[in-house]
Amino acid sequence: MKKLLGAAVLSSVLVLGACGNDENKDDMEGHEHHDEVAGLDVELTTPEKATAGEEVEFVAHVTSNDEDVNDADKVLFEVLKDDESLDKIEGEFTENGLYKLNYTFEEAGTYEVISHVDANGLHTMPKNEVVVE
């Protein structure tokens, strides 16, 4: 009798386990049909060289899955010299995923420009180097 009861319990566990796997498989198949996950790409354009006292333009082209992002939550341009943050200024949206800032370096040196971009719940920070003479 004990063997029969043990076999019945084992059979029930195996059947229930198999049903659970089928349900998970169905759930996974349903997820395959959803839209792909949104990505966030930023192409940061800055001059390689600049002259102190002259205005230059920084441009961040923000895209997600090859589509322009015209409603980013935040686009800031940070200017650093010797790892010290000098300025952090919001870029202005113009068109077609482009966010721009006109900036004037006051003195010669080597600077880093980082664009801090928040969109689609993601954050990215591409950076470029600018040599100012």
Side-chain angles (χ1 to χ4, degrees):
M1 183 71 170
K2 287 184 182 180
K3 288 184 182 181
L4 184 59
L5 182 60
V9 170
L10 182 59
S11 296
S12 297
V13 169
L14 291 175
V15 168
L16 290 175
C19 290
N21 286 339
D22 287 343
E23 288 173 16
N24 289 340
K25 183 179 174 187
D26 291 341
D27 288 345
M28 293 303 290
E29 287 174 3
H31 290 292
E32 291 174 12
H33 300 290
H34 291 286
D35 292 336
E36 59 185 84
V37 175
L40 182 62
D41 295 304
V42 177
E43 181 182 340
L44 174 62
T45 304
T46 61
E48 290 180 16
K49 294 185 179 184
T51 302
E54 291 186 9
E55 190 174 78
V56 295
E57 183 178 65
F58 305 150
V59 178
H61 183 203
V62 183
T63 59
S64 177
N65 297 341
D66 297 323
E67 298 282 331
D68 292 334
V69 174
N70 298 326
D71 59 352
D73 298 322
K74 177 174 63 174
V75 178
L76 296 175
F77 293 96
E78 182 177 17
V79 178
L80 298 97
K81 183 176 183 188
D82 301 323
D83 292 329
E84 180 184 340
S85 181
L86 304 176
D87 283 313
K88 204 176 218 183
I89 304 168
E90 188 167 352
E92 182 180 333
F93 171 73
T94 57
E95 63 182 352
N96 301 325
L98 299 175
Y99 297 79
K100 298 180 180 182
L101 174 69
N102 291 327
Y103 188 82
T104 303
F105 293 97
E106 297 300 325
E107 58 185 53
T110 300
Y111 295 82
E112 282 188 336
V113 177
I114 301 173
S115 63
H116 297 266
V117 179
D118 292 328
N120 298 332
L122 300 171
H123 179 79
T124 187
M125 304 171 26
K127 68 180 176 179
N128 287 348
E129 185 176 273
V130 180
V131 177
V132 178
E133 299 173 345

